[in-house]
Amino acid sequence: MQVIENLKVKEKLFVEKLQNGLTVMIIPKKDIQKKYMIWGTNYGSNDNKFIVPGEQNVTEVPNGVAHFLEHKMFEQENGTNSLDVLTALGVNANAYTTNDHTAYLFECTDNFYEAMDELMDYVQHPYFTDENVEKEKGIIGQEISMYDDYPDWRVYLNTLEAMYHNNPIKIDITGTKETISKIDKDILYKCYNTFYHPSNMVIVISGDFQPEKILEEVKKRLITNKPSGEIKRIYPEEPASIVKKEIVQNLEVSIPMYTIGIKDVENNNEDKSFIVKKDIGIDILLNLILGRSSNLYQELYKNSIIFGEQSLSYEFGKGYAHILISGISSNPKELFTKFKYTVNKLKEEGINEEDFQRLKKMAYGNYVREYDDVQNVSRMFLADYFKGICSFDYLENIETINSEYLDQLLKDVFKEDKMVLSIVENK
Amino acid sequence: MEQFVKEIKKGIKVHILNTDKFKTNLFAMFLTKKLTREDVTKNALISMILRRGSSKMKSQEEISKKMEELYGASFDCGIDKTGDNQVLKFYIESINDNYLPHTNENTLKIIIGTLLDIAFSPYIENEGFKEEYLEQEKNNLKRRVEGKKDNKARYAIERCTEEMYKDKPFGLYKFGYIEDLDKIDGKNLYKYYKELIDTCKIDIFLSGNVGEDAEKLIDDNENIKSLKERAPDCIFPKNEDKEVKEENVVTEKMDVSQGKLVIGLDVNLNDDKQKYFTLLYNSLLGGSANSKLFQNVREKANLAYVASSSYLRYKNIIFINSGIEISNYEKALNLIKEQIEDMKQGKFTDEEIEENKKVVISAIKTIGDEQDTEVIYYFGQELTGVTVSVNDYVKIIENIKKEDILDVANRVSINTIYFLRD
């Protein structure tokens, strides 16, 4: 096994790529009761158009299949449901779907190996019938309705709608009631067989473990699998321009919710430290502009335009990259105007060295903090892995950032013609 | 996982949880005060105005800069409702010096000093809170109270609580009431604040690799020295006798695409031991994926994505919570009532009991894995006066018998059925 040690957080990562292509990552945590295992596949709501290895034709599936598949994986041929089996072991089990991956996980104190048996069994044994697929449409339908009542989810999706012409990042992970009505067991099997191949998957385990022993336990439970060919994923061409500057939706809310989106170009640089550095750099820039200690934050707060910390983030993946700034505001339009003004001023005046050094320290502390909890650690390594990044690289790259780099990054990414505003407000 | 507790003055306790498991140190302080209609808004407003500045750091900008300088220490101050109390909660969490590059500062000492300064030595002008800050925080509070409706699922639970506790302290909204704001100014709020500080229960928690001198850092602090002894004006939760009344059915209309059904249950307990049984009862009813509600309402009838229940131990109530198609109201309600009835009839197997015991025990065992969870655990013991180690807690759950759960099931009655629809 390859061992990567990070001296800053005093943690070790053990990695092994097995013969069937599966990657296993283990992060031992001494003296922690909780044990965490997560098995992810590089398949999310964005992967709706692809060529199955060995086939010639393009397969296109309805929106929401990856998420639907996640729900259905728990059903077993012998009539049991793996979620029940895991819960019966006293294990906290769950699963989730994102734009680029689907993951199955559990967290426990006791019965770890029994739970591992079940998890590895159900992820490797799909069982879909016409009947069990139909019944799930009712449950997922209610999940979709639940999200329809979340204004923060609406304002987020509308931002993507305003930024992207074609990229599937803008579709809802769950699909809609209409698209899921078209899903049947054949579609589920086809997607399962294509994307749930070990070479497209990674297992991350964290807890008080001996890495070598855990690796053997994983290997024992794997069904040998023939190596698979490459999956060709087809994403539409995405113009650099935005679709529209503003989207307003009316919902019953006491105060408007907003998201500012800034569309960026895809990060397809082979050098991953380039992306890591950019990710950290944007985080620092966002805090310089609208973080709690910034002048803009103080001004907006004093005028009761904002009432607390705003959410600042940078998201990127295949064919997309964007900044999102969101929160609640009594006047999102004024906030947007002042934001743009502040960005321009910062471009002209350059980064203040003292502010930069302080926020760099904050960024460092925030990365260190991620390592205390087995769930955080495991999810972070999994999500970063699917982007080709080793999470430790964030800690190692912070020092390479200087204010000249940030000045340039600000000019390259924070472009006014790439900014959109999404608002959800009362009728 | 053990705590060291010391009463430094009457009504003021320090709890130290020394462990090297974490890369962070957590310093938390809870000020507990009896919840009343008269003071509810003032307490909420105080939790907000204190964030704006202290005698040493005159603005929130200065506080924020200081936190960033400490490698992004996180500071927060908020208000909670715990039983019939309002609790002002202060937290600062910072990276332990062992994980910081080249520092020669004692971060722990700095965060202790900073938080105590914010809580006990606020920024004052003309013998009152700064009027400008107060006006902004009144706006902020108003926005929060109005924002109660924005998360529909949470709003439904909040409304159900109000219905169950009409004209009683627990029915009060933790952020208070807009109509109170006009009467509050910088001077009278500051006067009330001083009274609060002199009469509330104070619990200070330090968790992390805090070393031998942690206790001394607190003892030597000037703000601590100036605190008076007190007989705390707070409510230590007791089991209340609950009379079974006719079900209160409430329907409210709002622009929602999904109906939110919340059912508030009373659990009439007369012995603290029964709280453990209720914990397990709740797990069986709707607390886990192997519960009656999850299995029957979601998995078998496919009526909901969320179908769960949660137990509020200080008040002995259970909330059943579910999101359903509006036209399925009757169907879902009947099915939920059937689950409550089945529990009363003892229609649950030994196997189900064992499975749910494991779920509950697993949660107990991990209390020490997260600093804030551990702090809240010990704070709960502080309020209830029931001290039980995690190992004993696990044993108690292991030894629960079917008849114990059955007994609790028959102490359960529906108080309120609340439905939010379009």
Side-chain angles (χ1 to χ4, degrees), chain B residues 134-192:
Chain B
L134 187 66
E135 272 319 299
Q136 289 158 5
E137 292 311 321
K138 279 186 184 177
N139 272 334
N140 205 346
L141 186 83
K142 185 162 169 272
R143 193 264 316 158
R144 280 193 187 225
V145 175
E146 288 168 349
K148 191 161 88 167
K149 286 186 174 177
D150 292 349
N151 183 321
K152 309 291 184 257
R154 214 182 303 147
Y155 174 74
I157 292 178
E158 198 61 54
R159 283 285 299 114
C160 186
T161 312
E162 280 175 16
E163 288 292 333
M164 290 174 82
Y165 289 89
K166 265 183 204 150
D167 304 319
K168 289 182 188 146
F170 195 68
L172 295 169
Y173 189 48
K174 68 172 181 178
F175 287 118
Y177 298 86
I178 294 169
E179 66 260 30
D180 297 353
L181 291 174
D182 278 348
K183 290 171 289 181
I184 300 174
D185 61 32
K187 275 203 178 66
N188 63 28
L189 189 65
Y190 182 57
K191 191 166 163 264
Y192 171 76

Side-chain angles (χ1 to χ4, degrees), chain B residues 122-132 185-191 194:
Chain B
Y123 180 65
I124 295 305
E125 277 181 4
N126 307 321
E127 287 157 52
F129 289 113
K130 189 177 160 110
E131 294 293 346
E132 183 199 336
D185 61 32
K187 275 203 178 66
N188 63 28
L189 189 65
Y190 182 57
K191 191 166 163 264
K194 286 197 285 192

